[in-house]
Amino acid sequence: AIQMTQSPSSLSASVGDRVTITCRASQVIRNDLGWYQHKPGKAPKLLIYATSTLQSGVPSRFSGSGSGTAFTLTISDLQPEDFATYFCLQDYSNPMTFGQGTKVEIK
Amino acid sequence: QVQLQESGPGLVKPSQTLSLTCTLSGDSLSGRSFYWAWIRQPPGKELQWIGNVYYTGRTYYNPSLTSRVTMSVDTSNNQFSLKLTSVTAADTAVYYCARIVVVPSATLTRYIDSWGQGTLVTVSS
């Protein structure tokens, strides 16, 4: 199975900050990567798929980039509702595999 | 709006079978562009893909679990289900059901666009 290494595992940031989260794949996965936001007790929410395609209804402060084995989620102008856990998911090959998650906390 | 809701026992004894059902509302399970997945997250660990099922009943299981997993669909009730046999404490987790969108293209894009809220299943005597 493809291993996804996500970093950092947690970070502290302030409202208005720019935040960057990285996922690295153990092999090339083209652009077959998505990013999700997860808040406790709620269903995870799709933010971005195919590396950089913003899901309908997701604010434009969320963006994704990368290719091959290295991918990045950027949140520009962090908002109070953005404090949550974020994880990546590769859909290049079965079984799909996840990053370990990044908890974004209020500084 | 698509909604997924997991249901089933929250406590299962070791060596027994874990059984969960996911009920879909707001859409049909028979959509040709979708697969239906089960995913779990043990306490303090990362998410793990258990497998997925198509409306025809075709399945894919994670090789690490394939000997113990069975998934099925009930299109008449708009539900799909998971059975995991011979459970141990290592199977204690929050279990999620989810919808995978498949976009026909040269690269066959897939992504999960809807998740259930998850249900905690504890394996303990």
Side-chain angles (χ1 to χ4, degrees), chain B residues 30-101:
Chain B
S30 300
R32 293 188 175 189
S33 298
F34 307 116
Y35 284 78
W36 306 96
W38 288 98
I39 296 157
R40 69 180 183 178
Q41 186 167 34
K45 296 189 177 182
E46 65 195 58
L47 291 154
Q48 181 185 33
W49 194 272
I50 300 172
N52 47 258
V53 60
Y54 195 48
Y55 79 97
T56 58
R58 187 175 70 189
T59 56
Y60 169 81
Y61 302 142
N62 190 319
S64 68
L65 295 168
T66 190
S67 63
R68 298 194 292 132
V69 173
T70 303
M71 295 182 186
S72 60
V73 294
D74 177 357
T75 53
S76 61
N77 287 310
N78 234 23
Q79 295 177 327
F80 60 103
S81 65
L82 166 70
K83 291 188 186 301
L84 183 66
T85 62
S86 304
V87 297
T88 69
D91 295 308
T92 294
V94 176
Y95 285 76
Y96 297 94
C97 59
R99 183 174 82 169
I100 309 167
V101 176

Side-chain angles (χ1 to χ4, degrees), chain A residues 19-41:
Chain A
V19 166
T20 298
I21 299 168
T22 298
C23 266
R24 292 188 180 275
S26 59
Q27 65 182 74
V28 170
I29 58 170
R30 298 184 310 203
N31 72 334
D32 296 336
L33 185 111
W35 291 97
Y36 298 79
Q37 178 191 69
H38 193 194
K39 297 181 179 179

Side-chain angles (χ1 to χ4, degrees), chain A residues 37-45 80-86, chain B residues 96:
Chain A
Q37 178 191 69
H38 193 194
K39 297 181 179 179
K42 295 197 172 182
K45 176 185 175 182
E81 60 269 29
D82 299 338
F83 292 96
T85 296
Y86 295 84
Chain B
Y96 297 94

